[in-house]
Amino acid sequence: MHFPQAVKEKYALMAEETNDEHYLKAATELGDSQEVLAHQAIFSNNGIKLVERGVRVDSGLFERLLNHRLQVSIDESLTAEKAVTLEELRDQAEALIAERPFYGRLAAELSDRVTLLGAIGSIALPKAMAFRLTVARDRGGALFAHSLQVALIALYLGIRQELEVPELRALAAAALLHDIGMLHIDPEMMQADHRLDAGERRQLHAHPLTATMIVKQRPEYPQAVGRAVLEHHERLDGSGYPRGLKGAEISVMGRILLLAEVVAAVLDKTTSAAEQRLSLILRLNHGKFDAQMSRAILKLLEQAAVEETDAEQGSRNAARIKSLGDDFDKWNEARSELAHYAAAAPVVGAFLTNRVVALERSLADAGLHPDQLKSVCVDIRDQPGEIRELAMLAREAGWQLKGIIQDVFCRFPTLEATEVPGEVAIRDWLLQLSAQLK
């Protein structure tokens, strides 16, 4: 992989932080629930022996290890009794296929099923990486399950892209490891009620860099694995991170992974009609994802229509119509205010305006421009299926607008503390709008 100097410098910074507090805490706490042994002595960077070989490691050693920079990453020195294995990965994948209808559709064809499970069950899994996946499984909340879901979706797309077996094996590894950088982030940041500040947003946006650096240290993985991991939050229209790549700048595996990550994230929500919402997201954001791959997912979604009973439809329609009218009144008010504030803060305003215009264009491409939405609500008053989709579209537009606001604060970290009058005005307006979109 060839990266700009700025990216290489970020890698160097990440390399200094691989033994950071949050991952070290999770790794040592693993020893509280199962036997974790130091299969080699653990030394500080200046040669002090901190832990003898053969010693059991648990949370009691956390403070001692935290006070030193280690010679090698902690996972290079530890072995877990109940570590993740290739057999377990394959068994978990089979269970997911059997229990979740969407994942069952991924493996409906026998040849696809054999290829999917074969790729997952044959990835390179060195001991240090198996330990990291074990931490993700036992201490990382839903991280392990999410990564396995991403792997199945990515492999399905890889098969549709006619990737060769070695490429599919590399893709499976990239999918399973794409979020290991999240183990280096404070778990409190991931709480639903936690509001991210500018520094925390930068940490979150750095997790693909952290994961890539970790993968690049393992000679077992080809360069394509690290590149795909780095690109899993990019978007084809350039709105992703960490590098804001566009179109062909993103590798094929990167395109697969970024779409698979979104599909898994949406389907894993406990809200109703997740598949219908996913269909809407893919159609609304067609410029962000590979068109051929999106069509492959949409085809799967068409096989399972979302149903409601007549009673459910009747009780929800009136509330949905009123809510939609209110939502898009706020949208149009915000749009008109944006022009005023953007003029007072040209750089920030231009970025924000371009992103909002792109969102409006996506809405228009979906056949529902904000200017037309309120009247459409009246036109479809007696069409519950259309009302349901329109309600989801309204919510999705709100979520995306809130995402744009978060991107502004991430791209312009000085905005939160600025004293420039125009920037103060746009910051306060963005914070107010964000609160309204909750």
Side-chain angles (χ1 to χ4, degrees), residues 73-292:
S73 177
I74 189 68
D75 44 67
E76 296 285 349
S77 302
L78 302 182
T79 300
E81 178 186 17
K82 301 174 183 176
V84 169
T85 64
L86 291 178
E87 183 179 8
E88 178 188 354
L89 289 172
R90 184 185 174 102
D91 288 346
Q92 292 283 347
E94 283 192 292
L96 192 57
I97 289 169
E99 296 166 6
R100 300 277 295 273
F102 177 83
Y103 295 95
R105 275 175 257 144
L106 293 177
E109 297 290 334
L110 179 59
S111 60
D112 286 349
R113 180 187 179 92
V114 170
T115 303
L116 290 170
L117 296 176
I120 288 176
S122 61
I123 67 165
L125 191 63
K127 287 184 178 180
M129 207 59 79
F131 184 84
R132 279 190 178 268
L133 286 177
T134 306
V135 174
R137 182 194 66 195
D138 294 358
R139 307 300 306 173
L143 183 61
F144 179 77
H146 169 73
S147 297
L148 192 58
Q149 291 160 9
V150 172
L152 283 175
I153 298 165
L155 287 167
Y156 177 83
L157 294 172
I159 293 170
R160 305 280 86 73
Q161 292 292 306
E162 300 183 346
L163 298 187
E164 300 292 336
V165 170
E167 294 174 307
L168 290 173
R169 191 178 297 120
L171 179 61
L176 287 166
L177 303 173
H178 78 282
D179 258 353
I180 53 173
M182 295 294 290
L183 294 172
H184 293 259
I185 292 176
D186 186 348
E188 290 297 319
M189 287 172 50
M190 299 298 104
Q191 297 300 313
D193 59 350
H194 182 81
R195 180 171 180 151
L196 297 175
D197 60 29
E200 289 172 333
R201 290 190 198 97
R202 288 193 294 276
Q203 289 181 49
L204 186 61
H205 280 214
H207 82 267
L209 288 163
T210 307
T212 303
M213 180 277 302
I214 294 166
V215 170
K216 280 170 61 68
Q217 292 177 341
R218 305 304 318 184
E220 295 89 347
Y221 301 116
Q223 289 188 349
V225 174
R227 181 175 177 182
V229 169
L230 181 62
E231 295 170 343
H232 79 268
H233 276 297
E234 300 289 356
R235 297 292 182 263
L236 268 64
D237 64 356
S239 63
Y241 64 87
R243 296 189 289 165
L245 301 180
K246 292 183 178 181
E249 294 175 335
I250 306 172
S251 68
V252 172
M253 284 192 188
R255 294 185 184 202
I256 291 172
L257 206 54
L258 68 88
L259 177 57
E261 207 276 339
V262 169
V263 172
V266 174
L267 293 180
D268 206 38
K269 301 297 182 185
T270 56
T271 54
S272 61
E275 292 197 10
Q276 188 175 0
R277 185 190 167 213
L278 175 58
S279 175
L280 180 64
I281 289 172
L282 295 182
R283 288 181 283 124
L284 183 60
N285 297 279
H286 56 83
K288 298 180 185 291
F289 309 117
D290 183 280
Q292 182 182 359

Side-chain angles (χ1 to χ4, degrees), residues 296-317:
I297 298 297
L298 288 169
K299 186 175 180 180
L300 289 176
L301 296 176
E302 290 170 1
Q303 298 174 19
V306 177
E307 298 178 353
E308 278 188 323
T309 67
D310 291 341
E312 288 173 329
Q313 291 172 352
S315 65
R316 296 178 185 177
N317 286 351

Side-chain angles (χ1 to χ4, degrees), residues 337-387:
E337 291 177 353
L338 173 57
H340 169 73
Y341 288 115
V347 178
V348 179
F351 174 83
L352 177 59
T353 301
N354 288 339
R355 291 293 301 276
V356 171
V357 167
L359 176 55
E360 288 190 334
R361 190 178 300 118
S362 294
L363 286 166
D365 289 344
L368 295 167
H369 191 278
D371 289 339
Q372 304 166 335
L373 284 167
K374 196 168 184 180
S375 62
V376 170
C377 289
V378 177
D379 294 340
I380 62 174
R381 185 180 300 274
D382 298 320
Q383 302 175 50
E386 285 74 5
I387 290 172

